[in-house]
Amino acid sequence: MAPGFNKKQFAVGVGLNVFASGLARSPDGDAGGIVLANFEAAKARRLARDLAAILFGETYEFPQERKEIALDPAVLDRYTGKYEAEKMSFTVTREGDRLFVQATGQGKLQVYPYAENKFFLKVVDATVEFNPAGAKASEMVLNQAGRMAARRVE
């Protein structure tokens, strides 16, 4: 189960090598759940959240396979630059026809376009969306276990 839905929750998650597990109990909802995965990138957190949504009658989205599309490097150039969120900053760069995002203190990760201004990552369950405003995007939104908006600063 995942946090939220205005329910108290006791939870623990463990990751070891490539395995991931989570146990959660909601005394308010008189419910509990366990998610086990033998593949770290199996999107266990998302699965747990969606199962809790079903259990508590909340909205959820069916997983969708994202298909990578090709974008002109000139389109990618609109998104390059530096973006700042409340607790984190991001640097977006282009190498040929590929776009990369690097968060403060983390490695550079390639993002893959599935729409003109929407990208997904293959190493984690996350998406990045750029809000265009003229020649350069004014904002970048990271969706990874929540939404984080970052405004362009350079």
Side-chain angles (χ1 to χ4, degrees), residues 115-139:
E116 185 169 315
N117 67 322
K118 296 179 181 180
F119 298 77
F120 67 97
L121 285 85
K122 293 182 179 179
V123 295
V124 295
D125 184 20
T127 60
V128 173
E129 182 174 348
F130 294 93
N131 294 324
K136 291 280 192 175
S138 61
E139 180 182 59

PDB file of all heavy atoms in Angstrom, residues 115-139:
ATOM      1  N   ALA A 115       6.294  12.339 -26.546  1.00  0.00           N
ATOM      2  CA  ALA A 115       5.502  13.419 -27.141  1.00  0.00           C
ATOM      3  C   ALA A 115       6.473  14.576 -27.326  1.00  0.00           C
ATOM      4  O   ALA A 115       7.608  14.522 -26.835  1.00  0.00           O
ATOM      5  CB  ALA A 115       4.343  13.818 -26.231  1.00  0.00           C
ATOM      6  N   GLU A 116       6.072  15.628 -27.993  1.00  0.00           N
ATOM      7  CA  GLU A 116       7.012  16.710 -28.288  1.00  0.00           C
ATOM      8  C   GLU A 116       7.622  17.334 -27.044  1.00  0.00           C
ATOM      9  O   GLU A 116       8.777  17.716 -27.042  1.00  0.00           O
ATOM     10  CB  GLU A 116       6.352  17.796 -29.139  1.00  0.00           C
ATOM     11  CG  GLU A 116       7.359  18.858 -29.546  1.00  0.00           C
ATOM     12  CD  GLU A 116       6.843  19.817 -30.601  1.00  0.00           C
ATOM     13  OE1 GLU A 116       6.229  19.347 -31.579  1.00  0.00           O
ATOM     14  OE2 GLU A 116       7.068  21.023 -30.437  1.00  0.00           O
ATOM     15  N   ASN A 117       6.870  17.398 -25.960  1.00  0.00           N
ATOM     16  CA  ASN A 117       7.400  18.015 -24.733  1.00  0.00           C
ATOM     17  C   ASN A 117       7.373  17.069 -23.523  1.00  0.00           C
ATOM     18  O   ASN A 117       7.548  17.502 -22.395  1.00  0.00           O
ATOM     19  CB  ASN A 117       6.628  19.292 -24.398  1.00  0.00           C
ATOM     20  CG  ASN A 117       5.196  19.004 -24.017  1.00  0.00           C
ATOM     21  OD1 ASN A 117       4.549  18.129 -24.587  1.00  0.00           O
ATOM     22  ND2 ASN A 117       4.678  19.736 -23.059  1.00  0.00           N
ATOM     23  N   LYS A 118       7.173  15.776 -23.760  1.00  0.00           N
ATOM     24  CA  LYS A 118       7.092  14.795 -22.676  1.00  0.00           C
ATOM     25  C   LYS A 118       8.111  13.688 -22.881  1.00  0.00           C
ATOM     26  O   LYS A 118       8.248  13.157 -23.985  1.00  0.00           O
ATOM     27  CB  LYS A 118       5.690  14.208 -22.596  1.00  0.00           C
ATOM     28  CG  LYS A 118       4.644  15.236 -22.240  1.00  0.00           C
ATOM     29  CD  LYS A 118       3.265  14.623 -22.187  1.00  0.00           C
ATOM     30  CE  LYS A 118       2.223  15.686 -21.851  1.00  0.00           C
ATOM     31  NZ  LYS A 118       0.891  15.118 -21.795  1.00  0.00           N
ATOM     32  N   PHE A 119       8.796  13.335 -21.783  1.00  0.00           N
ATOM     33  CA  PHE A 119       9.883  12.367 -21.836  1.00  0.00           C
ATOM     34  C   PHE A 119       9.732  11.370 -20.694  1.00  0.00           C
ATOM     35  O   PHE A 119       9.136  11.679 -19.666  1.00  0.00           O
ATOM     36  CB  PHE A 119      11.230  13.085 -21.694  1.00  0.00           C
ATOM     37  CG  PHE A 119      11.509  14.059 -22.808  1.00  0.00           C
ATOM     38  CD1 PHE A 119      10.886  15.300 -22.845  1.00  0.00           C
ATOM     39  CD2 PHE A 119      12.397  13.729 -23.826  1.00  0.00           C
ATOM     40  CE1 PHE A 119      11.138  16.194 -23.864  1.00  0.00           C
ATOM     41  CE2 PHE A 119      12.647  14.620 -24.854  1.00  0.00           C
ATOM     42  CZ  PHE A 119      12.016  15.856 -24.877  1.00  0.00           C
ATOM     43  N   PHE A 120      10.301  10.180 -20.877  1.00  0.00           N
ATOM     44  CA  PHE A 120      10.296   9.185 -19.809  1.00  0.00           C
ATOM     45  C   PHE A 120      11.710   8.683 -19.593  1.00  0.00           C
ATOM     46  O   PHE A 120      12.585   8.836 -20.444  1.00  0.00           O
ATOM     47  CB  PHE A 120       9.338   8.024 -20.121  1.00  0.00           C
ATOM     48  CG  PHE A 120       9.739   7.157 -21.287  1.00  0.00           C
ATOM     49  CD1 PHE A 120      10.422   5.960 -21.088  1.00  0.00           C
ATOM     50  CD2 PHE A 120       9.412   7.516 -22.587  1.00  0.00           C
ATOM     51  CE1 PHE A 120      10.774   5.149 -22.166  1.00  0.00           C
ATOM     52  CE2 PHE A 120       9.756   6.722 -23.670  1.00  0.00           C
ATOM     53  CZ  PHE A 120      10.439   5.527 -23.459  1.00  0.00           C
ATOM     54  N   LEU A 121      11.929   8.119 -18.411  1.00  0.00           N
ATOM     55  CA  LEU A 121      13.213   7.509 -18.088  1.00  0.00           C
ATOM     56  C   LEU A 121      13.053   6.001 -18.134  1.00  0.00           C
ATOM     57  O   LEU A 121      11.968   5.479 -17.860  1.00  0.00           O
ATOM     58  CB  LEU A 121      13.682   7.928 -16.691  1.00  0.00           C
ATOM     59  CG  LEU A 121      14.208   9.364 -16.599  1.00  0.00           C
ATOM     60  CD1 LEU A 121      13.110  10.354 -16.398  1.00  0.00           C
ATOM     61  CD2 LEU A 121      15.245   9.471 -15.521  1.00  0.00           C
ATOM     62  N   LYS A 122      14.113   5.303 -18.455  1.00  0.00           N
ATOM     63  CA  LYS A 122      14.065   3.846 -18.494  1.00  0.00           C
ATOM     64  C   LYS A 122      14.624   3.220 -17.223  1.00  0.00           C
ATOM     65  O   LYS A 122      14.346   2.072 -16.937  1.00  0.00           O
ATOM     66  CB  LYS A 122      14.843   3.327 -19.708  1.00  0.00           C
ATOM     67  CG  LYS A 122      14.184   3.692 -21.029  1.00  0.00           C
ATOM     68  CD  LYS A 122      14.936   3.120 -22.210  1.00  0.00           C
ATOM     69  CE  LYS A 122      14.255   3.468 -23.525  1.00  0.00           C
ATOM     70  NZ  LYS A 122      14.984   2.933 -24.694  1.00  0.00           N
ATOM     71  N   VAL A 123      15.398   3.973 -16.443  1.00  0.00           N
ATOM     72  CA  VAL A 123      16.036   3.411 -15.243  1.00  0.00           C
ATOM     73  C   VAL A 123      15.168   3.534 -13.997  1.00  0.00           C
ATOM     74  O   VAL A 123      15.395   2.836 -13.017  1.00  0.00           O
ATOM     75  CB  VAL A 123      17.420   4.036 -14.990  1.00  0.00           C
ATOM     76  CG1 VAL A 123      18.387   3.689 -16.107  1.00  0.00           C
ATOM     77  CG2 VAL A 123      17.324   5.536 -14.825  1.00  0.00           C
ATOM     78  N   VAL A 124      14.202   4.436 -14.003  1.00  0.00           N
ATOM     79  CA  VAL A 124      13.255   4.608 -12.899  1.00  0.00           C
ATOM     80  C   VAL A 124      11.886   4.934 -13.475  1.00  0.00           C
ATOM     81  O   VAL A 124      11.773   5.341 -14.627  1.00  0.00           O
ATOM     82  CB  VAL A 124      13.683   5.740 -11.923  1.00  0.00           C
ATOM     83  CG1 VAL A 124      14.969   5.417 -11.215  1.00  0.00           C
ATOM     84  CG2 VAL A 124      13.778   7.071 -12.629  1.00  0.00           C
ATOM     85  N   ASP A 125      10.855   4.757 -12.662  1.00  0.00           N
ATOM     86  CA  ASP A 125       9.495   5.073 -13.099  1.00  0.00           C
ATOM     87  C   ASP A 125       9.273   6.567 -12.927  1.00  0.00           C
ATOM     88  O   ASP A 125       8.861   7.035 -11.862  1.00  0.00           O
ATOM     89  CB  ASP A 125       8.485   4.280 -12.271  1.00  0.00           C
ATOM     90  CG  ASP A 125       7.057   4.487 -12.744  1.00  0.00           C
ATOM     91  OD1 ASP A 125       6.859   4.909 -13.904  1.00  0.00           O
ATOM     92  OD2 ASP A 125       6.132   4.239 -11.951  1.00  0.00           O
ATOM     93  N   ALA A 126       9.613   7.326 -13.955  1.00  0.00           N
ATOM     94  CA  ALA A 126       9.513   8.783 -13.887  1.00  0.00           C
ATOM     95  C   ALA A 126       9.279   9.352 -15.281  1.00  0.00           C
ATOM     96  O   ALA A 126       9.654   8.748 -16.285  1.00  0.00           O
ATOM     97  CB  ALA A 126      10.791   9.374 -13.298  1.00  0.00           C
ATOM     98  N   THR A 127       8.650  10.532 -15.295  1.00  0.00           N
ATOM     99  CA  THR A 127       8.487  11.275 -16.541  1.00  0.00           C
ATOM    100  C   THR A 127       8.918  12.718 -16.297  1.00  0.00           C
ATOM    101  O   THR A 127       8.922  13.199 -15.165  1.00  0.00           O
ATOM    102  CB  THR A 127       7.026  11.268 -17.044  1.00  0.00           C
ATOM    103  OG1 THR A 127       6.183  11.874 -16.070  1.00  0.00           O
ATOM    104  CG2 THR A 127       6.557   9.854 -17.361  1.00  0.00           C
ATOM    105  N   VAL A 128       9.275  13.374 -17.376  1.00  0.00           N
ATOM    106  CA  VAL A 128       9.659  14.785 -17.353  1.00  0.00           C
ATOM    107  C   VAL A 128       8.844  15.479 -18.424  1.00  0.00           C
ATOM    108  O   VAL A 128       8.744  14.996 -19.559  1.00  0.00           O
ATOM    109  CB  VAL A 128      11.169  14.960 -17.630  1.00  0.00           C
ATOM    110  CG1 VAL A 128      11.532  16.425 -17.766  1.00  0.00           C
ATOM    111  CG2 VAL A 128      11.998  14.291 -16.551  1.00  0.00           C
ATOM    112  N   GLU A 129       8.245  16.611 -18.051  1.00  0.00           N
ATOM    113  CA  GLU A 129       7.463  17.385 -19.012  1.00  0.00           C
ATOM    114  C   GLU A 129       7.974  18.818 -19.009  1.00  0.00           C
ATOM    115  O   GLU A 129       8.224  19.391 -17.950  1.00  0.00           O
ATOM    116  CB  GLU A 129       5.986  17.361 -18.621  1.00  0.00           C
ATOM    117  CG  GLU A 129       5.101  18.102 -19.582  1.00  0.00           C
ATOM    118  CD  GLU A 129       3.620  17.947 -19.255  1.00  0.00           C
ATOM    119  OE1 GLU A 129       3.266  17.093 -18.431  1.00  0.00           O
ATOM    120  OE2 GLU A 129       2.833  18.707 -19.835  1.00  0.00           O
ATOM    121  N   PHE A 130       8.140  19.369 -20.195  1.00  0.00           N
ATOM    122  CA  PHE A 130       8.584  20.750 -20.339  1.00  0.00           C
ATOM    123  C   PHE A 130       7.403  21.592 -20.777  1.00  0.00           C
ATOM    124  O   PHE A 130       6.654  21.207 -21.672  1.00  0.00           O
ATOM    125  CB  PHE A 130       9.717  20.848 -21.361  1.00  0.00           C
ATOM    126  CG  PHE A 130      10.965  20.152 -20.916  1.00  0.00           C
ATOM    127  CD1 PHE A 130      11.218  18.839 -21.274  1.00  0.00           C
ATOM    128  CD2 PHE A 130      11.896  20.808 -20.112  1.00  0.00           C
ATOM    129  CE1 PHE A 130      12.364  18.190 -20.858  1.00  0.00           C
ATOM    130  CE2 PHE A 130      13.048  20.169 -19.687  1.00  0.00           C
ATOM    131  CZ  PHE A 130      13.286  18.858 -20.061  1.00  0.00           C
ATOM    132  N   ASN A 131       7.251  22.752 -20.150  1.00  0.00           N
ATOM    133  CA  ASN A 131       6.186  23.679 -20.514  1.00  0.00           C
ATOM    134  C   ASN A 131       6.793  24.779 -21.368  1.00  0.00           C
ATOM    135  O   ASN A 131       7.476  25.659 -20.856  1.00  0.00           O
ATOM    136  CB  ASN A 131       5.523  24.245 -19.260  1.00  0.00           C
ATOM    137  CG  ASN A 131       4.802  23.160 -18.484  1.00  0.00           C
ATOM    138  OD1 ASN A 131       4.235  22.245 -19.072  1.00  0.00           O
ATOM    139  ND2 ASN A 131       4.840  23.238 -17.177  1.00  0.00           N
ATOM    140  N   PRO A 132       6.557  24.691 -22.671  1.00  0.00           N
ATOM    141  CA  PRO A 132       7.147  25.672 -23.577  1.00  0.00           C
ATOM    142  C   PRO A 132       6.566  27.064 -23.367  1.00  0.00           C
ATOM    143  O   PRO A 132       5.396  27.214 -23.055  1.00  0.00           O
ATOM    144  CB  PRO A 132       6.789  25.152 -24.968  1.00  0.00           C
ATOM    145  CG  PRO A 132       6.241  23.781 -24.772  1.00  0.00           C
ATOM    146  CD  PRO A 132       5.774  23.693 -23.362  1.00  0.00           C
ATOM    147  N   ALA A 133       7.420  28.057 -23.525  1.00  0.00           N
ATOM    148  CA  ALA A 133       7.004  29.460 -23.474  1.00  0.00           C
ATOM    149  C   ALA A 133       7.883  30.204 -24.470  1.00  0.00           C
ATOM    150  O   ALA A 133       8.905  30.758 -24.108  1.00  0.00           O
ATOM    151  CB  ALA A 133       7.156  30.036 -22.080  1.00  0.00           C
ATOM    152  N   GLY A 134       7.521  30.138 -25.718  1.00  0.00           N
ATOM    153  CA  GLY A 134       8.333  30.784 -26.741  1.00  0.00           C
ATOM    154  C   GLY A 134       9.469  29.886 -27.193  1.00  0.00           C
ATOM    155  O   GLY A 134       9.303  28.685 -27.363  1.00  0.00           O
ATOM    156  N   ALA A 135      10.651  30.486 -27.339  1.00  0.00           N
ATOM    157  CA  ALA A 135      11.804  29.760 -27.872  1.00  0.00           C
ATOM    158  C   ALA A 135      12.376  28.741 -26.894  1.00  0.00           C
ATOM    159  O   ALA A 135      12.981  27.764 -27.290  1.00  0.00           O
ATOM    160  CB  ALA A 135      12.896  30.743 -28.284  1.00  0.00           C
ATOM    161  N   LYS A 136      12.216  28.962 -25.582  1.00  0.00           N
ATOM    162  CA  LYS A 136      12.749  28.065 -24.553  1.00  0.00           C
ATOM    163  C   LYS A 136      11.641  27.708 -23.562  1.00  0.00           C
ATOM    164  O   LYS A 136      10.767  28.519 -23.285  1.00  0.00           O
ATOM    165  CB  LYS A 136      13.899  28.732 -23.782  1.00  0.00           C
ATOM    166  CG  LYS A 136      15.159  28.937 -24.587  1.00  0.00           C
ATOM    167  CD  LYS A 136      15.941  27.645 -24.670  1.00  0.00           C
ATOM    168  CE  LYS A 136      17.334  27.863 -25.207  1.00  0.00           C
ATOM    169  NZ  LYS A 136      18.136  26.663 -25.178  1.00  0.00           N
ATOM    170  N   ALA A 137      11.714  26.497 -23.027  1.00  0.00           N
ATOM    171  CA  ALA A 137      10.740  26.083 -22.012  1.00  0.00           C
ATOM    172  C   ALA A 137      10.920  26.935 -20.762  1.00  0.00           C
ATOM    173  O   ALA A 137      12.036  27.276 -20.383  1.00  0.00           O
ATOM    174  CB  ALA A 137      10.930  24.611 -21.678  1.00  0.00           C
ATOM    175  N   SER A 138       9.815  27.256 -20.111  1.00  0.00           N
ATOM    176  CA  SER A 138       9.875  28.065 -18.886  1.00  0.00           C
ATOM    177  C   SER A 138       9.889  27.214 -17.629  1.00  0.00           C
ATOM    178  O   SER A 138      10.276  27.678 -16.568  1.00  0.00           O
ATOM    179  CB  SER A 138       8.677  29.011 -18.828  1.00  0.00           C
ATOM    180  OG  SER A 138       7.472  28.257 -18.805  1.00  0.00           O
ATOM    181  N   GLU A 139       9.483  25.954 -17.774  1.00  0.00           N
ATOM    182  CA  GLU A 139       9.356  25.087 -16.606  1.00  0.00           C
ATOM    183  C   GLU A 139       9.574  23.636 -16.993  1.00  0.00           C
ATOM    184  O   GLU A 139       9.259  23.223 -18.102  1.00  0.00           O
ATOM    185  CB  GLU A 139       7.945  25.256 -16.007  1.00  0.00           C
ATOM    186  CG  GLU A 139       7.668  24.415 -14.792  1.00  0.00           C
ATOM    187  CD  GLU A 139       6.247  24.594 -14.285  1.00  0.00           C
ATOM    188  OE1 GLU A 139       5.304  24.327 -15.056  1.00  0.00           O
ATOM    189  OE2 GLU A 139       6.090  24.996 -13.122  1.00  0.00           O
TER     190      GLU A 139
END
